[in-house]
């Protein structure tokens, strides 16, 4: 637990521990805004092979900017990442969906009634997308370099990186060891097509950047655009939306021993 300062205001942050319903302990952090009333709460969902800080501490800086803009923030590390329990080899999509459920329960408990938004980076978009059916009350969703098609990213990859990393030699490694260590670039075309097909969706291109954003300037651009877009849509959650969230939380508790999501790969 520690105190720090942003450029505009004092903020209080604390680390805490989550436990998924299958018993995995997850490292997490909460950032409280001094703005009253808060504009909402934002859950940050990181990508593969990094942790709740996201590569280069991008999520820490994003949290600082969101807090300064009046949002509360929750971050967490998926199983097998950062200081969370589990191993990289044991990380599965279904397991990450369970971790996301635990993080959502913490958000509901700590910030009841507050308007919810999610920022997901890279592979973090997979568990979020597969869980949208039960993410009731989700107001806005931001995806950074998202994995949106598992087949074209991993199984029949369209990018040269994917063909290199999932060719015959890598398939043998997978067969022998049971896992591969990867960090997957994603297709801009898939993300662009997805954005065009969805109503009320905006696509922002960080020109010249790569998958992880390759400069502090481009990281700052992504952070600034994200905070501005979330701020534009913030408001106090309606009583009806909160009633729906309360109802669905009860349903989730009754079904928590069931599978959270069933990953499907589009052929």
């Amino acid at each position: 637990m520690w105190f720090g300062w942003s450029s505009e205001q004092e903020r209080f942050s604390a680390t805490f521990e989550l436990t998924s319903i299958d018993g995995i302990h997850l490292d997490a952090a909460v950032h409280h805004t001094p703005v009253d009333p808060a504009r909402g709460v934002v859950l940050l969902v990181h990508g593969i092979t990094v942790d709740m800080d996201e590569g280069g501490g991008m999520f820490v800086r994003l949290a600082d900017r969101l807090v300064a803009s009046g949002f509360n923030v929750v971050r967490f590390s998926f199983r097998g990442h950062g200081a969370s329990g589990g191993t990289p080899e044991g990380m599965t999509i279904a397991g990450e969906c369970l971790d996301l459920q635990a993080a959502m329960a913490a958000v509901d408990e700590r910030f009841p009634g507050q308007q919810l938004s999610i920022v997901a980076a890279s592979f973090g978009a997979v568990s979020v997308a597969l869980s949208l059916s039960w993410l009731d009350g989700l107001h806005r969703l931001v995806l950074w370099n998202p994995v949106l098609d598992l087949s074209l990213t991993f199984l029949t990859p369209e990018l040269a990186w994917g063909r290199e990393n999932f060719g015959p030699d890598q398939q043998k490694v997978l067969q022998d060891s049971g896992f591969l260590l990867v960090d997957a670039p994603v297709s801009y075309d898939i993300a662009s097509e997805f954005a065009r097909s969805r109503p009320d969706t905006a696509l922002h291109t960080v020109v010249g950047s790569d998958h992880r954003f390759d400069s502090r300037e481009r990281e700052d651009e992504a952070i600034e655009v994200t905070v501005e877009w979330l701020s534009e849509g913030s408001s106090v959650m309606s009583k009806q939306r909160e009633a729906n969230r309360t109802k669905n939380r009860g349903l989730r508790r009754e079904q928590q021993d069931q599978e959270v999501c069933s990953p499907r790969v589009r052929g």
Side-chain angles (χ1 to χ4, degrees), residues 15-200:
T15 58
F16 66 103
E17 187 176 87
L18 302 172
T19 303
S20 65
I21 61 174
D22 60 343
I24 303 295
H25 297 292
L26 308 173
D27 192 30
V30 60
H31 304 252
H32 294 271
T33 181
V35 177
D36 187 19
R39 305 178 77 166
V41 56
V42 182
L43 177 64
L44 307 185
V45 184
H46 70 81
I48 199 170
T49 73
V50 289
D51 60 16
M52 66 178 178
D53 292 350
E54 189 53 29
M58 231 180 139
F59 271 3
V60 177
R61 290 170 25 235
L62 174 59
D64 288 346
R65 287 283 288 106
L66 288 168
V67 165
S69 296
F71 293 94
N72 294 305
V73 178
V74 174
R75 301 180 289 123
F76 72 101
S77 292
F78 281 117
R79 62 188 63 200
H81 294 74
S84 291
T87 64
E89 296 88 343
M91 187 278 291
T92 64
I93 294 173
E96 289 204 346
C97 287
L98 296 180
D99 298 344
L100 179 64
Q101 182 190 40
M104 275 297 304
V107 169
D108 285 342
E109 178 181 354
R110 291 170 182 266
F111 304 107
Q114 292 195 15
Q115 196 171 67
L116 169 69
S117 296
I118 293 177
V119 178
S122 188
F123 201 79
V126 175
S127 57
V128 173
L130 290 170
S131 301
L132 286 175
S133 62
W134 62 263
L135 285 172
D136 48 286
L138 179 61
H139 177 60
R140 287 202 163 192
L141 172 63
V142 178
L143 303 177
W144 286 357
N145 303 326
V147 175
L148 297 174
D149 191 313
L150 293 172
S151 177
L152 292 180
T153 302
F154 298 108
L155 302 183
T156 55
E158 60 177 16
L159 299 180
W161 174 93
R163 293 192 293 270
E164 177 183 349
N165 283 273
F166 296 103
D169 291 341
Q170 290 298 90
Q171 290 292 333
K172 187 176 187 307
V173 172
L174 177 62
Q175 182 178 2
D176 294 342
S177 63
F179 66 93
L180 289 174
L181 295 177
V182 300
D183 182 16
V186 297
S187 169
Y188 177 85
D189 291 338
I190 291 175
S192 180
E193 178 185 354
F194 175 84
R196 288 194 301 268
S197 68
R198 302 286 298 180
D200 303 318

